[in-house]
Amino acid sequence: LLPSRVFWSKGAKPIKIKQTMSTGEMWQVSTGSTVWGGGVVLQRYIETLGADFWAGKRVIELGTGTGLGGITAARLGAADVLVTDRDASVLELAEANAGANLGARASSTFRTSLLEWGPAPMDGSSVEPAYTQPWDVVIGADLTYNRDAWPLLVDTIKRLQAPVILTASERRPNELQSLQQFLSEKGLQLDVVQSPMTEGYAARNIRVLRIAKPPPFAKAVLSQAQAPGQMRAAKVPSKSAPARGKTPSGVQAGPSAKEKASELLRYTFNTKEGQLWYEVDTTLKQVRALPDSPIHAYTHRAGHDSCQASASTII
Ligand SMILES: C[S@@+](CC[C@H](N)C(=O)[O-])C[C@H]1O[C@@H](n2cnc3c(N)ncnc32)[C@H](O)[C@@H]1O
């Protein structure tokens, strides 16, 4: 095992990560004292999303190990990064790695905190920094190698109430399939997104998952048609809805005057990936979406049509 690893990125200084695990004592030290394969993929995925995505974001990392994920997000402009682990010794390592790679920015943007996954205490008293402030994104790499910890990890993901980017590795046959099924059964909405790795072990055996916790992070509630051609403007109560015309991210809905005149009411979502849309056929009360639309659920109730958008596209 190497004492350090270097992660190169175009046009930026490489990130150098110290690792304290050595072959002789690998069963005695924390699993997090070296960078795992999932950590490499998460690092690359964070870079792929780019500075536009990370700028100003509040990011929490679970099971951080060496701190690589959080350090990468901080370098790309995340405003507040909290890396967590249950093991104090790896948090020291993460802190040292942050200092070496973030320089002066480390003290203003990067923090560490002990955090053991699990349900909220019965009396509701959570004092860990992880649960006392809101987050924009949760990140984590290679946290699912121990099946017994899956329920605890899910508890924590649900408590954090933010979209999650997770890398997971297939170490045993069908492990990833079971993990996906488990997460879905626990009510988490899951997308496997394109891995930044194109070949080799990581491309074959490590997946990038984006997880959302229903109720969704944005919900567009559309006023019901009075009669065809006389639609009311859509209302979007989502807190994350940006002002009209602003940089895409979040949900925005609202038909143009021309679209309103039609029996097909079109709503557009501004997302990181561009503008997506779906249409409600006001006569038939049916929704029509593009095949890769973020809409995953649509319900019609008297007085309201509502839809839910996949969080993977709206964070
Ligand atoms: C396999 S290592 C991955 C480290 C790093 N994310 C990476 O990919 O390089 C798993 C990390 O999760 C932490 N961990 C495992 N179970 C945990 C739990 N129940 N609560 C909090 N942290 C946990 C370990 O201490 C370790 O640092």
Side-chain angles (χ1 to χ4, degrees):
L1 291 164
L2 299 167
S4 63
R5 291 187 68 164
V6 180
F7 296 86
W8 299 91
S9 56
K10 245 190 192 161
K13 260 176 71 180
I15 297 178
K16 191 171 171 194
I17 294 293
K18 189 174 158 206
Q19 309 184 117
T20 49
M21 186 186 280
S22 67
T23 320
E25 36 78 286
M26 66 192 291
W27 304 114
Q28 284 90 55
V29 296
S30 166
T31 51
S33 51
T34 188
V35 177
W36 285 53
V40 175
V41 176
L42 179 66
Q43 197 277 338
R44 189 77 79 78
Y45 187 70
I46 290 170
E47 294 224 311
T48 308
L49 291 174
D52 282 355
F53 179 89
W54 294 102
K57 289 236 162 45
R58 296 164 301 194
V59 180
I60 180 168
E61 179 167 19
L62 303 177
T64 185
T66 63
L68 177 61
I71 290 168
T72 309
R75 271 225 327 188
L76 287 163
D80 184 12
V81 176
L82 181 71
V83 303
T84 69
D85 206 289
R86 68 171 168 195
D87 189 317
S89 69
V90 300
L91 291 179
E92 270 175 40
L93 178 61
E95 191 105 44
N97 280 325
N101 289 285
L102 299 174
R105 282 200 68 220
S107 59
S108 57
T109 55
F110 191 93
R111 293 174 290 146
T112 63
S113 174
L114 276 174
L115 181 71
E116 176 107 37
W117 312 325
M122 297 296 268
D123 62 2
S125 61
S126 280
V127 289
E128 295 103 323
Y131 301 121
T132 53
Q133 70 174 92
W135 301 104
D136 298 311
V137 189
V138 181
I139 57 174
D142 260 334
L143 308 180
T144 51
Y145 56 97
N146 172 13
R147 236 168 234 252
D148 295 342
W150 289 1
L152 302 172
L153 182 61
V154 165
D155 283 334
T156 289
I157 286 174
K158 288 186 171 179
R159 288 172 72 188
L160 290 172
Q161 301 242 1
V164 181
I165 300 172
L166 197 70
T167 59
S169 306
E170 179 113 293
R171 298 215 160 67
R172 288 165 284 275
N174 302 322
E175 183 178 347
L176 286 173
Q177 204 185 338
S178 316
L179 174 68
Q180 281 173 237
Q181 196 178 334
F182 179 82
L183 294 172
S184 304
E185 281 166 12
K186 293 292 171 194
L188 294 172
Q189 184 212 317
L190 190 77
D191 287 318
V192 180
V193 297
Q194 169 129 31
S195 167
M197 314 311 260
T198 49
E199 54 190 36
Y201 174 86
R204 283 193 309 277
N205 295 313
I206 302 178
R207 260 176 227 162
V208 183
L209 308 174
R210 296 191 43 166
I211 301 171
K213 172 192 172 293
F217 305 102
K219 192 173 194 180
V221 179
L222 318 176
S223 311
Q224 195 192 12
Q226 300 302 291
Q230 291 180 2
M231 308 304 152
R232 283 197 214 131
K235 284 186 191 140
V236 182
S238 160
K239 280 191 199 123
S240 60
R244 255 207 129 97
K246 270 201 153 176
T247 327
S249 177
V251 170
Q252 197 172 32
S256 70
K258 192 166 152 222
E259 287 158 346
K260 270 192 254 181
S262 150
E263 286 183 10
L264 276 181
L265 194 54
R266 177 178 289 194
Y267 289 89
T268 55
F269 280 66
N270 284 337
T271 74
K272 183 96 185 98
E273 291 83 4
Q275 199 169 67
L276 298 164
W277 55 270
Y278 69 102
E279 289 174 335
V280 180
D281 184 320
T282 53
T283 339
L284 299 174
K285 306 290 180 223
Q286 278 176 348
V287 71
R288 300 199 312 197
L290 288 177
D292 59 349
S293 149
I295 310 303
H296 63 84
Y298 172 78
T299 43
H300 172 74
R301 288 180 282 117
H304 279 101
D305 290 333
S306 68
C307 69
Q308 298 177 353
S310 151
S312 71
T313 53
I314 59 171
I315 49 176

